Amino acid sequence: MSRSGSGDETHESGGVDQRIAELERANKDLEGKIAEQERVEGELTALLREKEILLHEVHHRVKNNMQVISSLLKIQSGYVGDAAVREMFEECQNRILAMSLVHEKLYKSQDIASVDFKEYIKTLLHDVFWSYGYGFGTGRIKLKMNIKDVSFGVNDAMSCGLIINELVSNSLKHAFPDGRSGEVSVSLRSTGKDKFELVVSDDGVGMSQHLDFRSVETLGMHLIILMAEDQLRGAIELDTTGGTNFKVMFEG
């Protein structure tokens, strides 16, 4: 009897040892898989960081190149005697700077995929007002800005920026003649899920109520319609009651 009991104990002991060995092998395999996963995750993190650095550098270089182009236009305009032609150079400068500013904001941002639209437009309007010889909404032409806290991708931000640049520039040039005082207003609000309404208006002398703005043959108006309808895939309306009020509805 004692020999039989000893054999059972030996058999059970051998089974336990085998199970322990199996668990140790399984644990070793698991540790190896965890180490491999950590290695892969580390490589992906490094690649992502490298991509972010490269994209920041791209935005930085694009911004610098655009500013060089703007500077060249400014220098060239100094050799132009015709005031109308010189004004065209200045308008092109503002358009380039509006696009350059998007890349500058992305370069300085932690998020390289989207632009803080409120901050972008605030800086853009500051530059536009100063380019026409006005303080930042502190002179005879006041500025009212009501921009929703929202981030847009590069294309939507740039399209909206160009529209705002053109319309505000038009207001500053034409809406307040002979030293007239007034207000320019820029607003952006949400009208639903991923739907927005951009409004640029002034209380100046206004445009003719019978004018079809689509028939105005200027680069600025053509650019506004192109950005609103083709780039933003939206709709644009004009209300000339009590001044000039352009409204752009689009999905962001």
Side-chain angles (χ1 to χ4, degrees):
M1 294 291 292
S2 62
R3 286 196 298 273
S4 175
S6 176
D8 290 342
E9 290 175 1
T10 301
H11 178 73
E12 291 176 0
S13 176
V16 170
D17 291 342
Q18 182 180 357
R19 183 57 178 161
I20 290 174
E22 290 174 352
L23 290 173
E24 287 177 345
R25 285 195 298 271
N27 186 60
K28 188 174 182 180
D29 289 343
L30 182 59
E31 288 177 347
K33 291 179 180 179
I34 291 174
E36 176 65 14
Q37 183 176 349
E38 290 176 346
R39 183 188 67 79
V40 172
E41 289 178 352
E43 290 180 353
L44 290 175
T45 300
L47 288 172
L48 180 60
R49 178 57 183 161
E50 182 180 356
K51 178 183 177 182
E52 290 176 349
I53 292 172
L54 289 173
L55 285 174
H56 272 99
E57 181 63 21
V58 167
H59 288 305
H60 184 52
R61 292 191 179 190
V62 170
K63 183 261 299 184
N64 286 346
N65 289 339
M66 285 186 167
Q67 288 183 338
V68 168
I69 295 171
S70 178
S71 297
L72 290 173
L73 287 173
K74 184 175 182 179
I75 293 171
Q76 185 66 57
S77 67
Y79 293 92
V80 176
D82 189 306
V85 175
R86 189 163 56 249
E87 182 178 334
M88 292 173 64
F89 272 93
E90 292 170 353
E91 290 172 351
C92 285
Q93 281 182 257
N94 284 344
R95 290 167 186 145
I96 292 171
L97 289 175
M99 293 186 288
S100 170
L101 188 57
V102 171
H103 293 281
E104 179 179 341
K105 294 299 182 183
L106 287 172
Y107 167 66
K108 294 180 178 179
S109 172
Q110 295 297 319
D111 184 356
I112 57 176
S114 59
V115 180
D116 182 335
F117 191 68
K118 185 174 184 178
E119 183 62 28
Y120 164 55
I121 294 304
K122 182 178 179 180
T123 306
L124 175 62
L125 290 173
H126 175 276
D127 292 347
V128 172
F129 265 74
W130 277 103
S131 72
Y132 285 96
Y134 299 102
F136 186 36
T138 58
R140 63 182 177 87
I141 302 178
K142 306 298 182 184
L143 172 65
K144 181 179 180 181
M145 188 174 72
N146 184 17
I147 304 293
K148 174 182 172 63
D149 289 324
V150 64
S151 293
F152 286 144
V154 176
N155 292 336
D156 286 352
M158 194 173 294
S159 297
C160 288
L162 286 169
I163 291 171
I164 292 171
N165 174 73
E166 293 299 324
L167 292 175
V168 171
S169 295
N170 285 343
S171 293
L172 295 178
K173 287 189 296 182
H174 306 299
F176 308 101
D178 304 321
R180 176 172 174 162
S181 298
E183 181 179 84
V184 175
S185 175
V186 179
S187 68
L188 176 79
R189 69 184 184 94
S190 174
T191 58
K193 181 175 174 55
D194 297 327
K195 294 183 178 181
F196 299 93
E197 179 184 88
L198 172 66
V199 178
V200 180
S201 62
D202 65 63
D203 58 0
V205 296
M207 302 169 66
S208 171
Q209 294 185 0
H210 304 291
L211 175 68
D212 178 8
F213 68 91
R214 295 178 182 278
S215 66
V216 177
E217 296 183 357
T218 64
L219 175 59
M221 189 57 67
H222 178 71
L223 185 61
I224 291 166
I225 296 171
L226 179 67
M227 292 296 107
E229 297 182 343
D230 291 2
Q231 296 300 312
L232 292 174
R233 303 167 301 282
I236 182 170
E237 298 176 354
L238 170 62
D239 180 5
T240 57
T241 305
T244 302
N245 183 305
F246 276 95
K247 181 187 299 182
V248 179
M249 293 78 69
F250 66 98
E251 295 186 9

